[in-house]
Amino acid sequence: PALGLFLFTIARDPLRIIILIAGAFFWLVSLLLSSLVWFIAVKASDPRDEPLQKGLLIFGVMFSVLLQEAFRFLYYKLLRKAIEGLVALSEDGCSPISIQQMAYVAGVGFGLMSGAFSMINLLADALGPGTVGIHGDSQLYFLTSAFMTMVLIFLHTFWGILFFHGCEHQCWWEIMAVIVMHLAVSGSTFCNPLYVGSLVPSYLLMAAAAAWAYLLSGGSAQNLQRFLLCKS
């Protein structure tokens, strides 16, 4: 589904591809900085202290989420400047891409890069040694991880729309809602290997974020009905 979004809505437009790649780069920089903080914290702590290591893991996840949202805000500022430049260069005084479209493409860029790294981690685990579930653990590890990766890609897409809308209209509570949802989804992964505890809340939040983003983008129930019935 995420690949479908890219192929049908982004791949044919060079400007959207540039925005997507830049968004993926911003996510990568946030990952690099959070990884650096995590590396220093682990090296400076006692590896035999299990409660401390668990606390550091929780701190690392929460810090990474906050850093990702900070870089999303920086990317919004950069794109706002880019729109002003595009308007100045255009002949008709209009930007070739709206801030709503930028928000969508930037969100897809964040999500695709996040999903790519999740997939890389899964492939690294798949190298072995051992067999999934050999010690009585769930054998659905790879399947549930795939579903979790997909929901995170879509959530980043919807969060991008909500976050940019909040910045554009100075609705700071929308930005806070995105941060809270991101923290909640990331925190739910600590329920694993009880995968129901992470997948079900994540997909419910995805449905809520999708409906919210659809309405903020100008969607309506009538438009949705026309789409489902294939009416113009």
Side-chain angles (χ1 to χ4, degrees), residues 23-37:
F25 173 75
F26 269 72
W27 188 90
L28 275 176
V29 175
S30 71
L31 176 66
L32 174 63
L33 294 179
S34 58
S35 299
L36 181 61
V37 172

Side-chain angles (χ1 to χ4, degrees), residues 28-127:
L28 275 176
V29 175
S30 71
L31 176 66
L32 174 63
L33 294 179
S34 58
S35 299
L36 181 61
V37 172
W38 165 257
F39 178 78
I40 295 174
V42 170
K43 288 297 182 181
S45 61
D46 184 4
R48 294 170 294 182
D49 190 343
E50 293 186 4
L52 176 61
Q53 293 300 316
K54 185 175 181 180
L56 286 176
L57 179 61
I58 296 174
F59 163 77
V61 171
M62 300 300 113
F63 179 79
S64 177
V65 168
L66 295 177
L67 199 59
Q68 288 177 47
E69 297 306 326
F71 270 82
R72 199 192 302 271
F73 178 74
L74 292 176
Y75 192 41
Y76 162 77
K77 287 292 187 180
L78 179 65
L79 290 178
R80 209 67 192 82
K81 291 292 184 181
I83 286 182
E84 296 175 4
L86 291 172
V87 170
L89 292 174
S90 63
E91 296 179 354
D92 55 359
C94 298
S95 173
I97 185 170
S98 65
I99 189 66
Q100 292 87 354
Q101 292 171 335
M102 282 187 169
Y104 164 74
V105 178
V108 174
F110 268 63
L112 287 179
M113 187 53 63
S114 172
F117 265 81
S118 298
M119 186 170 64
I120 290 172
N121 290 332
L122 286 174
L123 293 176
D125 289 337
L127 291 176

Side-chain angles (χ1 to χ4, degrees), residues 146-213:
F147 276 99
M148 194 66 191
T149 299
M150 183 176 70
V151 75
L152 280 174
I153 294 175
F154 280 114
L155 279 171
H156 271 293
T157 302
F158 303 140
W159 288 337
I161 297 172
L162 298 177
F163 195 97
F164 278 43
H165 184 273
C167 293
E168 192 73 8
H169 296 85
Q170 296 185 349
C171 296
W172 308 118
W173 65 273
E174 291 181 353
I175 298 175
M176 288 303 302
V178 170
I179 296 174
V180 169
M181 282 191 289
H182 200 166
L183 289 171
V185 171
S186 298
S188 68
T189 58
F190 290 110
C191 297
N192 296 337
L194 182 61
Y195 296 114
V196 176
S198 60
L199 283 177
V200 173
S202 297
Y203 272 86
L204 290 176
L205 280 175
M206 184 193 72
W212 192 0

